[in-house]
Amino acid sequence: MLEINLSAELEIPPLSAPTIVLRGDPMAALRPLSRLPTVLATPAQPGRPFRRRAIRAVATGVDASADAALTSRGLKSRLRRELLSSQRLCEWLPHLKHVIFVVAEPTHLRERAVLGIADGFAAYVHAHLERVCGAYVTVTVLLVADCAQPGLLAERIDQRASLGPLDPYLALPWRDVAEQPIQLSAAAAYC
């Protein structure tokens, strides 16, 4: 007589390996992202295995909002300090396709100036990673100082990381991210 094990069919399948590494400054806007099953928050949690080849994106939190004396030049320096870490991750993760910087910018700086800094930084990082690592990696900088919907931000970052790279780099303020997926903003910017 053939015996069927019904409990085997009711078992919950194991969680898939994370595809996004979350690193950098702890920020309230990134808490929902750190809780997603596709995200490996650093430092790594014990018992949470991951496959290096499964990682497709790295999201880095940069909290510059607390420094009231930060100038435009200081913001550029703060962002550039993240370049070496991004390069090392690009060299270590063979299937990396997206580097996403989530920046809580200082509110006392003009948005136009901050957006220009972010765009220049994104272009520089993309060119640097392509030159040094020999990899085509999309660089996205999201300015989220006024983000009131961290859950939506987590969803947008997860969407961005799951899609193939089309645009080389992109810098967006929060209001653009809140209105539509990042991929649509990228298509609008480069078409």
Side-chain angles (χ1 to χ4, degrees):
M1 182 168 136
L2 183 62
E3 189 173 311
I4 299 175
N5 184 357
L6 294 177
S7 64
E9 295 175 24
L10 300 175
E11 289 179 11
I12 299 173
L15 289 175
S16 63
T19 56
I20 302 170
V21 171
L22 177 61
R23 57 170 300 279
D25 299 335
M27 297 169 39
L30 291 176
R31 276 192 205 117
L33 181 65
S34 69
R35 295 182 189 120
L36 292 179
T38 57
V39 175
L40 176 67
T42 57
Q45 300 96 352
R48 181 91 195 267
F50 74 98
R51 293 187 349 243
R52 198 166 54 115
R53 294 185 178 275
I55 303 296
R56 300 280 189 251
V58 173
T60 302
V62 179
D63 190 1
S65 63
D67 192 354
L70 192 69
T71 62
S72 294
R73 180 176 278 184
L75 181 59
K76 285 181 189 178
S77 295
R78 176 70 179 87
L79 290 173
R80 288 248 174 149
R81 278 184 272 189
E82 299 298 333
L83 181 62
L84 185 58
S85 297
S86 298
Q87 177 184 326
R88 287 181 179 154
L89 286 166
C90 185
E91 292 168 346
W92 189 63
L93 299 168
H95 296 288
L96 186 67
K97 298 297 179 206
H98 295 279
V99 175
I100 302 166
F101 294 94
V102 182
V103 181
E105 72 275 17
T107 55
H108 65 275
L109 295 177
R110 291 178 314 159
E111 183 182 288
R112 177 178 258 178
V114 172
L115 201 51
I117 291 167
D119 191 56
F121 174 70
Y124 180 78
V125 172
H126 172 75
H128 179 80
L129 294 178
E130 194 170 47
R131 183 177 64 250
V132 173
C133 300
Y136 186 86
V137 177
T138 294
V139 178
T140 307
V141 180
L142 305 176
L143 304 174
V144 298
D146 56 347
C147 174
Q149 300 169 299
L152 181 60
L153 175 63
E155 181 182 320
R156 297 289 197 237
I157 292 172
D158 192 40
Q159 287 171 348
R160 177 72 163 167
S162 67
L163 298 172
L166 297 175
D167 49 305
Y169 61 90
L170 183 66
L172 292 173
W174 168 247
R175 69 177 173 279
D176 290 353
V177 176
E179 289 176 5
Q180 61 185 359
I182 298 169
Q183 213 62 2
L184 292 178
S185 295
Y190 290 101
C191 291

